Amino acid sequence: MASEEELFASVDALLNEEPRLPPPAERARLRKAAGITQARLSTALKTTTQSVKNWENGRSEPKSPRLEAYQRLLKGWAAKYPHSAPASQAPATAQEPEAPETFTGPAASESEATAAAPIQAPTAPERPTRPAALPATSRRPAAKKAAKPAVDPRFPHGPLAVLDGDGSAYGVDGIVLDCPVTTVPELVEWTLKESGLGAAKLNRYGKNSDPLIVLTAAAAVKLGLPERLEGHEQRRSLRLPEDHPVVKQVAKAKWQLTQRGFGPWARIYRKAQGRERQCVQLAILSWDALDERSWPGVADMAPADIARVLGVYAQRVITPRGSTAVSGLELMTALRPPTKAVQDPETGNWVSGHNPGSLGTEPMDPAPPEATPEHPVVVQSGWTGGFLNEEAYQWVRPVDTLTDEECMLPFAVGLDLNTAFLAAAARLVVGLSAPDHFHAPKFNPKIPGSWLVDLSHIELDPRLPSPFTPDGSRPTGPAWYQTHTVAYAQELGYDVHPIEAYLRRETGAYLDPWHDRLKTAYVDTLADLGVTRDLDDRAFLAAMEQHKQADPALAAVLSAIKATVKGGVGKLRERPQGRHYKEGERWPALERPTWRPDIRAAVISKARVNMHRKLLNMSRMTGLFPLAVLSDCVVYPSPGESPLDFLPYAASGKPQPGGFRLGPTPGLAKLEGVQSMLWAVDLMEKDLNPARHIKGGDAVLDEGE
């Protein structure tokens, strides 16, 4: 604990620089009058931002020696900013509103924490409002106003805005800004100098998020852009030609575009001057920047509602940087920055150094079995030793294993595991260093890597998929497996004797902060839609039936969060794109430190093993066997239309541990769909997967690649 002298020195510094304990509301008023954020005050008092929040809302009081230090600070501020002082005496930066009661985590601007804090979802306000200094021209109403999370005074208007053709820029919490620009360079200058947009870094060693401007079709046309971006290539590779007038305007104004050019997601930047970043992200709605699969219905919403959806996502996940897959990958780096400031022992200067636990700044080649067939490591070495095949389940049970009793059951019920890949990422130890090659190593389940093992001798119940292959078939000989798959063979009681392995000496739970932030975002958003953790199973199923209708905007946020999980994992092994690619060439994704197919394999291996463990436990507890599995969805024969008719419960009414359990958190299950047993058997006889169609449509297995 800090000494009293240290604390007094800290608060004296604050008193010189800016501005018995008064009531909680007065504490907050004095701090705001001095222009000091809760995060900055917590740093001075050597405590947490949450403690300061608690003192200011009356939930708790500081203890000695912080009590005396806090009292001394408040007395100093009270002398400078008496209650009767006119508003003009307060610094212009004091714009931080009260945090809602649901905000329980540290402020992102100054916190070392990387986990997301639960943030109350802002609902659309009754009427979009502008800052007092700006005349309002908007006439679009929205819905109801709610409490806002704490605002970083450096970014008073939030992380993003949606610009319409009339010059109205719709921000979060109903703010509407006047944006009197007619060209893209003017828009970039306005965003950086006048808009007050941006977001604080998610890790103390990271970077603040660049502001995002989303353009409606009308705004795009007003700025000289085509309403639609046409072409014959894949959507993701569409971009303006280099001789387009807008691209020339950008270059003439001495701004630059990233290598992906001016496409649906364009980044416009100049090299940083000192510590100030100069970069703006643009997203063009009419160029399909918001994929309907990830953001259902959002592109067709009014600008104020689009700002609300993207604003909630930005507050809970990250300011979008591209597709949800790109954002999922960017979130990993934002939470685990590759570098931090370290002091050179020889010169005493502060220099950039490696941040332990991160993936570093340099790309890393995978081991040959972890790569893809077109990868230079494979092509140049002539590798023929096979590849990891750690993929999600796509399995249909052989029809001849169905019993008459099963066929007589009236229903097929599908269960879907919530964000199964996210659940698998929790406490997942992955390799951080380059792979080393070993021959005939002894298997160690604690070492992440790839193992060549023969698991073909393991004979399991044919009514269950094999845990070792994505299609559920029994292995036919030696094959490469990720550590979790081999460890599960040991867990089932079988000996494993690796032939060779590629293992990593430096390891860590790289994805933990990513998991924590996305889990919080997922659970909080479901709760805002009425699906809370305190519901019993029957009430949970009823709430899930209605949650999308409760608030379509937040339902779109939930969809985007789920797509961020799958897409982020998929991006860890992004394949080459474009028809001009030649096998053996490097492709752009390989230059990222986050091109890590071994980490992707670890997540999917653990998710598939988790699924099999539940399937096996279900068969032992209930005697029930699945009809099909597709990634995180499993279909069971059932005597009724509800999961309650076949899931195992104890005499007390509580779910039996080890099997599938209903609930709103990652790894728990929800109802995916119900069809007749005859319908399911008919699909199985045609070698079609009932899990793909149980919802009543075509469920697509999307790993974000």
Side-chain angles (χ1 to χ4, degrees):
M1 180 180 288
S3 69
E4 189 171 297
E5 291 77 11
E6 288 176 319
L7 292 168
F8 280 4
S10 293
V11 300
D12 283 343
L14 281 181
L15 283 171
N16 292 333
E17 179 183 343
E18 272 281 350
R20 285 160 250 276
L21 293 176
E26 176 67 1
R27 302 170 199 173
R29 184 194 74 79
L30 290 170
R31 176 184 53 75
K32 293 177 186 178
I36 302 298
T37 65
Q38 291 172 328
R40 190 170 171 199
L41 177 55
S42 71
T43 301
L45 293 175
K46 305 296 189 290
T47 186
T48 65
T49 308
Q50 186 57 45
S51 294
V52 175
K53 293 179 191 295
N54 291 342
W55 301 342
E56 292 186 357
N57 61 31
R59 288 183 180 175
S60 67
E61 300 288 342
K63 293 182 173 56
S64 188
R66 286 191 181 87
L67 174 62
E68 292 78 15
Y70 191 34
Q71 186 179 46
R72 178 183 173 117
L73 178 63
L74 292 175
K75 281 182 178 178
W77 279 341
K80 282 189 174 185
Y81 309 107
H83 212 291
S84 57
S88 60
Q89 289 186 11
T93 55
Q95 302 182 36
E96 184 181 14
E98 288 299 312
E101 290 191 0
T102 52
F103 187 90
T104 59
S109 59
E110 308 247 359
S111 167
E112 291 186 38
T114 53
I119 302 175
Q120 181 170 328
T123 58
E126 268 177 45
R127 186 171 62 194
T129 56
R130 294 172 185 259
L134 298 175
T137 58
S138 171
R139 300 169 187 78
R140 282 205 180 100
K144 183 174 154 192
K145 196 171 191 170
K148 298 186 290 185
V151 172
D152 189 311
R154 297 169 300 168
F155 311 113
H157 300 145
L160 56 89
V162 180
L163 181 62
D164 207 353
D166 63 358
S168 298
Y170 296 80
V172 299
D173 303 316
I175 285 177
V176 185
L177 307 171
D178 277 326
C179 181
V181 303
T182 56
T183 68
V184 169
E186 288 177 0
L187 174 61
V188 173
E189 296 279 359
W190 174 85
T191 303
L192 292 174
K193 295 178 180 177
E194 301 179 43
S195 71
L197 297 174
K201 55 194 175 186
L202 298 180
N203 180 286
R204 66 177 298 190
Y205 301 125
K207 299 173 182 175
N208 295 330
S209 288
D210 300 316
L212 167 64
I213 301 292
V214 181
L215 303 180
T216 66
V221 171
K222 180 181 176 181
L223 295 173
L225 297 167
E227 183 173 346
R228 303 291 305 177
L229 194 57
E230 305 294 345
H232 302 291
E233 296 275 349
Q234 303 176 53
R235 183 189 65 81
R236 71 180 84 184
S237 64
L238 291 178
R239 64 191 69 183
L240 289 179
E242 292 185 6
D243 60 354
H244 190 278
V246 171
V247 177
K248 289 183 176 180
Q249 283 177 359
V250 170
K252 186 176 180 182
K254 296 189 172 13
W255 290 99
Q256 293 178 269
L257 292 162
T258 57
Q259 286 188 344
R260 59 181 173 180
F262 207 123
W265 289 89
R267 290 184 66 74
I268 302 176
Y269 71 99
R270 283 180 185 149
K271 289 186 178 179
Q273 296 180 349
R275 299 181 64 181
E276 293 298 317
R277 288 172 60 79
Q278 296 187 86
C279 185
V280 174
Q281 177 81 58
L282 300 183
I284 297 95
L285 292 173
S286 58
W287 295 4
D288 299 324
L290 298 181
D291 192 314
E292 176 68 17
R293 294 168 298 179
S294 302
W295 303 95
V298 176
D300 298 324
M301 293 180 179
D305 295 320
I306 297 173
R308 180 188 171 217
V309 171
L310 296 179
V312 175
Y313 180 89
Q315 289 164 358
R316 294 187 171 176
V317 181
I318 193 172
T319 304
R321 292 278 303 268
S323 67
T324 48
V326 169
S327 297
L329 202 66
E330 291 287 343
L331 181 63
M332 295 180 195
T333 303
L335 294 170
R336 292 276 201 195
T339 61
K340 69 173 184 176
V342 296
Q343 197 165 23
D344 188 320
E346 294 182 4
T347 65
N349 295 331
W350 289 93
V351 296
S352 179
H354 175 65
N355 183 21
S358 76
L359 298 182
T361 58
E362 296 300 320
M364 184 184 298
D365 278 340
E370 298 165 349
T372 56
E374 66 272 16
H375 194 286
V377 163
V378 174
V379 175
Q380 293 170 13
S381 68
W383 174 262
T384 58
F387 299 95
L388 277 178
N389 189 24
E390 298 289 10
E391 303 293 342
Y393 268 134
Q394 296 192 63
W395 170 81
V396 179
R397 183 173 157 192
V399 177
D400 58 12
T401 64
L402 293 174
T403 65
D404 292 341
E405 291 79 5
E406 287 175 313
C407 292
M408 292 299 291
L409 291 171
F411 298 104
V413 176
L415 292 176
D416 180 71
L417 297 184
N418 302 320
T419 55
F421 287 172
L422 185 61
R427 298 179 299 281
L428 176 68
V429 176
V430 300
L432 301 177
S433 55
D436 290 323
H437 192 195
F438 297 87
H439 291 279
K442 182 179 179 181
F443 178 67
N444 186 333
K446 294 183 179 180
I447 300 178
S450 304
W451 309 77
L452 181 62
V453 191
D454 189 350
L455 302 179
S456 61
H457 62 285
I458 299 177
E459 187 169 357
L460 300 173
D461 195 311
R463 293 171 293 181
L464 291 175
S466 166
F468 310 126
T469 60
D471 65 2
S473 61
R474 182 173 173 175
T476 57
W480 289 96
Y481 301 99
Q482 203 277 335
T483 297
H484 280 88
T485 305
V486 184
Y488 189 56
Q490 269 195 343
E491 181 183 322
L492 293 174
Y494 295 92
D495 288 333
V496 293
H497 302 285
I499 302 166
E500 58 180 306
Y502 286 90
L503 309 176
R504 287 168 167 80
R505 299 178 188 276
E506 185 183 341
T507 65
Y510 171 73
L511 293 174
D512 260 9
W514 185 80
H515 162 270
D516 293 347
R517 187 166 177 86
L518 285 168
K519 177 183 177 181
T520 302
Y522 180 82
V523 171
D524 284 357
T525 306
L526 260 184
D528 289 331
L529 290 166
V531 187
T532 56
R533 299 197 217 197
D534 58 350
L535 298 176
D536 63 30
D537 285 0
R538 197 171 298 277
F540 166 74
L541 290 172
M544 285 300 296
E545 278 188 32
Q546 303 298 324
H547 79 285
K548 290 184 180 179
Q549 288 71 43
D551 187 333
L554 283 180
V557 175
L558 188 70
S559 171
I561 292 169
K562 293 189 287 187
T564 301
V565 173
K566 278 195 172 181
V569 172
K571 276 280 184 184
L572 291 167
R573 196 193 66 171
E574 184 177 354
R575 305 291 286 269
Q577 299 163 15
R579 61 188 179 195
H580 302 298
Y581 174 75
K582 294 180 181 178
E583 189 176 81
E585 292 178 347
R586 294 187 70 82
W587 58 96
L590 298 188
E591 306 313 314
R592 296 192 314 247
T594 48
W595 196 86
R596 289 295 301 273
D598 56 302
I599 296 180
R600 174 187 177 273
V603 172
I604 298 177
S605 166
K606 186 178 173 184
R608 198 182 65 246
V609 164
N610 286 348
M611 171 67 83
H612 190 275
R613 190 180 288 112
K614 288 181 171 65
L615 297 173
L616 184 60
N617 288 339
M618 280 285 290
S619 70
R620 290 169 175 170
M621 289 188 286
T622 67
L624 286 176
F625 291 86
L627 302 177
V629 184
L630 180 76
S631 189
D632 46 14
C633 176
V634 56
V635 178
Y636 273 101
S638 172
E641 296 182 82
S642 169
L644 301 176
D645 295 317
F646 66 89
L647 288 179
Y649 290 86
S652 63
K654 291 186 177 180
Q656 292 278 25
F660 293 100
R661 295 175 54 192
L662 299 175
T665 54
L668 298 187
K670 58 183 179 290
L671 177 64
E672 177 74 0
V674 183
Q675 301 287 346
S676 73
M677 184 65 178
L678 287 175
W679 168 91
V681 173
D682 182 56
L683 286 183
M684 294 165 70
E685 289 176 338
K686 296 175 181 175
D687 290 329
L688 298 175
N689 193 322
R692 186 180 295 277
H693 308 277
I694 192 75
K695 205 170 187 175
D698 284 351
V700 178
L701 177 65
D702 179 14
E703 293 170 15
E705 290 186 64

